[in-house]
Amino acid sequence: MGSNLQQINQVAVIGTGVIGNGWIARFLAQGYDVIAFDPSEGAEQRTQKAVAQAWPSLEKIGLAEGANRNRLAFMPTIEKAVCDADLIQENVPEREDLKKAVLASIDAHAKKSAIIGSSTSGIMPSVLQEGLAHPERLIVAHPFNPVYILPLVELVAGRKTDQLVMDRAKSFYESIGMKPLIIQKEIEGHLADRLMEALWREALHLVNDGVATTEEVDAAIIYGAGLRWAQMGPFLTFHLAGGEKGMRHMLEQFGPALKLPWTKLEAPELTDELKEKIISGCESHAGDVTIGELENKRNEFLVELLSLVESYWPETTATKKLVVEK
Amino acid sequence: MGSNLQQINQVAVIGTGVIGNGWIARFLAQGYDVIAFDPSEGAEQRTQKAVAQAWPSLEKIGLAEGANRNRLAFMPTIEKAVCDADLIQENVPEREDLKKAVLASIDAHAKKSAIIGSSTSGIMPSVLQEGLAHPERLIVAHPFNPVYILPLVELVAGRKTDQLVMDRAKSFYESIGMKPLIIQKEIEGHLADRLMEALWREALHLVNDGVATTEEVDAAIIYGAGLRWAQMGPFLTFHLAGGEKGMRHMLEQFGPALKLPWTKLEAPELTDELKEKIISGCESHAGDVTIGELENKRNEFLVELLSLVESYWPETTATKKLVVEK
């Protein structure tokens, strides 16, 4: 992890809604001192409640040495919250003007060596860097709810971000049990939320058009694609759906479907170049492992996952409705 | 399950690619006699290989009494394959002309009481019913790969489908361990594939635009949304992301994001009516269970799922790339 990590001793969390509190719980479980700031009434109590709720899961995952829920202090101002912090995680509501105002205040009071990570779901880091005195230390570090359990964090550099800051941030988030994914190009919504948002918008259309209820949409995901996506993502999933010839066959068979009105989203043209990107991407991802071996492993995983799902969610209304027979 | 089920003793599978073979494995494991037809050379051997690969998973899930991999026979013609079958599952390539020709042939030779289920991913059943002598027995019964493990099957009636056929089909698919989801309105792509296709098209755009590689897209799903979608689907997931006020708060906070260019898909207008549909859908789905209780259960599930994922996929390239540190 390198000596860079030694520099991060204290973290500050600005904005303590669901995401901010998720970060606090993760940082505390990893043995950090956490300083928090949130101007809303009752924030500290809500955070304590949220951390208490997260703690049993964190104990099960494993606490770091010295981890203690009491190593949390709320400060009355941003200045006092950030002045000694080595990493500052910003989680205020998703409004550009508000984020920029808060980041300007953080920028004015933070140590020069501090890393500032914004949890923004959608705003590009270069936009957030506008007007900062030290924009080189700002990155997007976008987590997923529940932040104290899910490992993904998207790291996005802005035009003015220092590469060393990205390197230090990657090491830090890895050291707290996360899987940092460096996004190659900054775009609105980054990467994961673009995928989710596409599915979400289609889901809204389907409910709006009377094709399905919200529960039916959920059931359509859980018992099909959801079980698959927890194991291998859409590309490797389709690589296996193509039989022995993998993604190459899959694109031949289902490529033409991209022309069909299967969603309200228009697909890109499936050029030879794009095909090659996808096929070689899947093949290099699979590496030396054959499709048959991947299938075996997928099957073992799915059988276990299926029994896990059944043991946890047998009584949801969606399932009941599906299972109950007249 | 009712007396209707007694009528289904023999099933026929027409078209034995990845999906047809998945059905065969499931039917055999459930103790059925299966008759198959596929005109391509070597089809029978490929099916035997596919069933052999599926069998260990099916044994782990639990075989029905009398289940035997040898209770499978290939026939040289569609006529001979379907003439004695009580349920016929059609799985030929996704081309409307081909499907219609094969279904016409099935229609001409099947028993009048037989159910004909098409595995089509996208074509509407009313379209497939055109020109059939007995369209009332045709439905779409769309499964998900691997068909012998994943429980979801979408059932869609065409304009001419007999309601009794839908009822019998639902009972049958439930009796073989599946979760039939009745789709309220026929549309191209049905329900689940519309959601998947939206995400898939966005993924293709992201790869095409150089935002991410296929592996990075997969990682962005697996370690974030994928882990969530295996447990509760997009609506209930967001219901929990909204804090104590659930989906109502979520729509206030992230509703405006629907106007932003976060995907290449345009969202529907978030009217009061649509809002109400979504909020009340989530609230009735959650029922008497509080958000806090749902969160606890989600957390327990996620902690177990995370350790399952880690134990199965620690060495994929995507993870390696994420974890390896210079």
Side-chain angles (χ1 to χ4, degrees):
Chain A
M1 301 184 186
S3 60
N4 284 328
L5 273 185
Q6 313 315 324
Q7 299 170 19
I8 296 185
N9 297 309
Q10 194 189 89
V11 296
V13 173
I14 307 301
T16 58
V18 171
I19 295 298
N21 285 337
W23 278 117
I24 289 173
R26 181 179 280 271
F27 293 144
L28 288 172
Q30 292 288 336
Y32 283 91
D33 287 315
V34 182
I35 308 296
F37 170 77
D38 191 300
S40 66
E41 209 182 331
E44 183 162 359
Q45 280 152 310
R46 280 196 299 279
T47 295
Q48 274 159 0
K49 197 176 155 200
V51 172
Q53 185 161 20
W55 212 252
S57 298
L58 289 163
E59 286 177 321
K60 202 159 174 198
I61 292 169
L63 299 177
E65 212 183 304
N68 193 318
R69 282 161 52 187
N70 297 325
R71 291 173 63 183
L72 167 68
F74 269 72
M75 293 289 165
T77 62
I78 289 185
E79 176 178 356
K80 287 192 172 141
V82 306
C83 59
D84 291 325
D86 302 302
L87 183 129
I88 298 145
Q89 191 76 39
E90 171 278 308
N91 325 274
V92 303
E94 196 68 17
R95 293 198 334 255
E96 192 181 312
D97 55 344
L98 178 61
K99 292 249 184 222
K100 280 180 159 176
V102 169
L103 287 168
S105 181
I106 292 171
D107 186 50
H109 302 294
K111 296 196 287 190
K112 198 170 173 306
S113 64
I115 295 171
I116 304 172
S118 171
S119 298
T120 177
S121 316
I123 306 170
M124 293 188 281
S126 291
V127 172
L128 297 177
Q129 285 174 330
E130 289 163 10
L132 296 192
H134 294 290
E136 71 284 353
R137 60 184 169 172
L138 180 116
I139 60 167
V140 164
H142 174 234
F144 296 81
N145 186 51
V147 179
Y148 48 93
I149 302 180
L150 290 186
L152 185 65
V153 57
E154 295 179 307
L155 301 187
V156 197
R159 279 192 297 274
K160 295 182 180 165
T161 303
D162 184 341
Q163 180 58 44
L164 190 66
V165 169
M166 278 294 274
D167 295 344
R168 286 179 61 208
K170 183 164 181 277
S171 296
F172 171 71
Y173 290 110
E174 271 169 7
S175 78
I176 60 168
M178 302 186 87
K179 308 240 185 240
L181 184 62
I182 310 273
I183 308 303
Q184 297 178 28
K185 265 187 196 175
E186 53 177 337
I187 53 171
E188 285 182 290
H190 323 315
L191 176 55
D193 272 5
R194 287 191 76 96
L195 299 163
M196 274 191 265
E197 185 78 13
L199 186 144
W200 175 240
R201 289 182 187 193
E202 187 70 21
L204 293 177
H205 278 295
L206 291 164
V207 170
N208 199 38
D209 296 348
V211 175
T213 65
T214 60
E215 278 193 58
E216 287 163 348
V217 168
D218 279 359
I221 288 294
I222 295 170
Y223 297 110
L227 290 173
R228 299 195 300 211
W229 284 331
Q231 52 164 351
M232 40 173 72
F235 283 103
L236 210 58
T237 297
F238 282 164
H239 190 49
L240 267 69
E244 287 182 3
K245 276 182 267 168
M247 181 56 83
R248 192 172 298 279
H249 175 70
M250 186 67 195
L251 287 181
E252 279 164 22
Q253 196 171 9
F254 285 99
L258 291 175
K259 303 281 185 198
L260 298 173
W262 277 18
T263 89
K264 302 217 174 185
L265 171 65
E266 272 190 51
E269 188 66 35
L270 205 54
T271 59
D272 285 348
E273 194 192 354
L274 178 54
K275 272 189 201 165
E276 216 29 65
K277 254 189 187 177
I278 295 166
I279 293 166
S280 65
C282 287
E283 286 174 354
S284 84
H285 188 171
D288 295 337
V289 187
T290 66
I291 299 254
E293 287 165 342
L294 277 172
E295 279 174 352
N296 285 340
K297 203 165 167 187
R298 173 198 68 189
N299 288 355
E300 286 171 37
F301 175 85
L302 274 181
V303 170
E304 290 200 50
L305 176 52
L306 202 56
S307 105
L308 187 63
V309 170
E310 293 286 342
S311 72
Y312 270 87
W313 309 101
E315 83 289 25
T316 61
T317 322
T319 320
K320 251 195 273 172
K321 202 166 72 189
L322 291 166
V323 167
V324 166
E325 191 53 43
K326 61 184 167 189
Chain B
M1 299 184 187
S3 60
N4 285 329
L5 272 186
Q6 313 315 323
Q7 298 169 21
I8 295 184
N9 298 307
Q10 195 189 88
V11 296
V13 173
I14 307 301
T16 57
V18 171
I19 295 299
N21 285 337
W23 278 117
I24 288 172
R26 181 178 279 272
F27 292 146
L28 289 171
Q30 291 288 335
Y32 283 91
D33 288 315
V34 181
I35 309 296
F37 170 78
D38 192 301
S40 65
E41 210 182 329
E44 184 163 358
Q45 281 152 308
R46 281 196 298 279
T47 295
Q48 275 160 358
K49 195 177 158 202
V51 172
Q53 183 161 21
W55 212 252
S57 299
L58 288 163
E59 284 177 322
K60 202 159 175 200
I61 292 170
L63 299 176
E65 210 184 305
N68 192 318
R69 281 161 54 187
N70 297 324
R71 289 173 64 182
L72 166 68
F74 269 72
M75 293 289 164
T77 63
I78 289 185
E79 177 180 353
K80 285 191 173 141
V82 305
C83 61
D84 291 325
D86 303 303
L87 182 130
I88 298 145
Q89 191 76 40
E90 172 277 310
N91 324 275
V92 302
E94 196 69 15
R95 295 200 329 258
E96 191 180 314
D97 56 344
L98 178 63
K99 292 250 184 219
K100 280 181 160 176
V102 168
L103 287 167
S105 182
I106 293 170
D107 187 49
H109 302 295
K111 296 195 289 191
K112 197 169 174 308
S113 63
I115 295 170
I116 304 172
S118 172
S119 298
T120 178
S121 316
I123 306 170
M124 291 188 282
S126 292
V127 172
L128 298 177
Q129 285 174 331
E130 288 164 10
L132 297 190
H134 295 290
E136 72 283 353
R137 59 185 168 171
L138 181 117
I139 60 166
V140 164
H142 175 233
F144 296 81
N145 186 53
V147 179
Y148 48 94
I149 302 180
L150 291 186
L152 184 65
V153 58
E154 295 178 307
L155 301 186
V156 197
R159 280 193 296 275
K160 295 181 180 166
T161 302
D162 184 341
Q163 180 59 43
L164 191 64
V165 169
M166 279 293 275
D167 295 343
R168 285 178 61 207
K170 183 162 181 278
S171 296
F172 171 72
Y173 291 109
E174 271 169 6
S175 78
I176 60 168
M178 301 186 88
K179 307 239 185 242
L181 184 63
I182 310 273
I183 308 303
Q184 295 178 31
K185 265 187 194 176
E186 51 177 338
I187 53 170
E188 286 182 291
H190 322 315
L191 176 55
D193 272 6
R194 288 190 76 95
L195 300 164
M196 274 191 264
E197 186 78 13
L199 186 144
W200 176 241
R201 290 182 186 193
E202 187 70 20
L204 293 178
H205 278 295
L206 291 163
V207 170
N208 198 38
D209 296 347
V211 175
T213 66
T214 60
E215 278 191 57
E216 287 164 349
V217 168
D218 279 359
I221 288 294
I222 294 170
Y223 298 109
L227 291 173
R228 298 194 301 209
W229 284 332
Q231 54 164 349
M232 40 173 69
F235 283 103
L236 210 58
T237 298
F238 282 164
H239 189 48
L240 266 70
E244 286 183 4
K245 276 182 268 168
M247 182 55 82
R248 192 173 299 278
H249 175 69
M250 186 67 196
L251 287 181
E252 278 164 24
Q253 194 171 7
F254 285 99
L258 291 174
K259 303 280 186 201
L260 298 174
W262 277 18
T263 90
K264 301 218 175 185
L265 172 65
E266 272 190 49
E269 189 66 34
L270 204 55
T271 59
D272 285 348
E273 195 191 355
L274 178 53
K275 273 191 201 163
E276 216 28 66
K277 255 189 186 177
I278 294 165
I279 294 166
S280 65
C282 287
E283 286 174 354
S284 85
H285 189 171
D288 294 336
V289 187
T290 65
I291 301 253
E293 287 164 344
L294 276 172
E295 279 174 352
N296 285 340
K297 203 166 166 186
R298 173 199 68 187
N299 289 355
E300 287 172 35
F301 175 86
L302 275 180
V303 170
E304 290 202 48
L305 177 51
L306 203 57
S307 106
L308 188 64
V309 169
E310 293 285 343
S311 71
Y312 271 86
W313 309 101
E315 84 286 29
T316 61
T317 322
T319 320
K320 251 194 275 172
K321 202 165 72 188
L322 290 165
V323 166
V324 166
E325 191 55 42
K326 60 184 170 190

